[in-house]
Amino acid sequence: GDKASFFEKHGFVLCKAPTKIKDWNEDYLDEETDISKIYHQEIETLIREVLFPEGTEFTKIDQPPAVLRRGPGTKSNFY
């Protein structure tokens, strides 16, 4: 089956989606980041084209200006 059908059935799907992001900002107070300028559009396009190819009723996808990274070498060095 396709990714949209898998998502519909299971509520998640893994997608291979390269990004143009260079700086993975972890500061939620900074609104002007690569995350908000580049990544948000990449993710919205992926959601609309891969998960909802037939269209959807939602008009906006809320996304924070930073990412939560966990693990060694990050501010949150736990899993």
Side-chain angles (χ1 to χ4, degrees):
D2 62 33
K3 290 186 184 304
S5 297
F6 188 92
F7 180 74
E8 172 97 19
K9 182 176 180 180
H10 301 285
F12 78 98
V13 67
L14 300 177
C15 298
K16 185 173 185 171
T19 182
K20 294 178 182 169
I21 294 293
K22 301 289 184 224
D23 180 19
W24 289 97
N25 176 51
E26 295 180 63
D27 179 3
Y28 280 83
L29 300 177
D30 186 357
E31 298 275 332
E32 293 295 317
T33 66
D34 280 358
I35 302 288
S36 58
K37 293 178 189 173
I38 300 168
Y39 192 64
H40 286 180
Q41 187 57 49
E42 292 174 340
I43 292 302
E44 184 165 335
T45 299
L46 179 99
I47 289 170
R48 291 185 189 279
E49 292 179 1
V50 175
L51 302 183
F52 298 98
E54 308 279 320
T56 181
E57 294 178 13
F58 57 80
T59 57
K60 183 178 182 215
I61 300 171
D62 289 324
Q63 302 178 66
V67 295
L68 175 61
R69 293 176 30 181
R70 293 185 175 173
T74 68
K75 292 178 185 177
S76 302
N77 61 354
F78 57 89
Y79 291 102

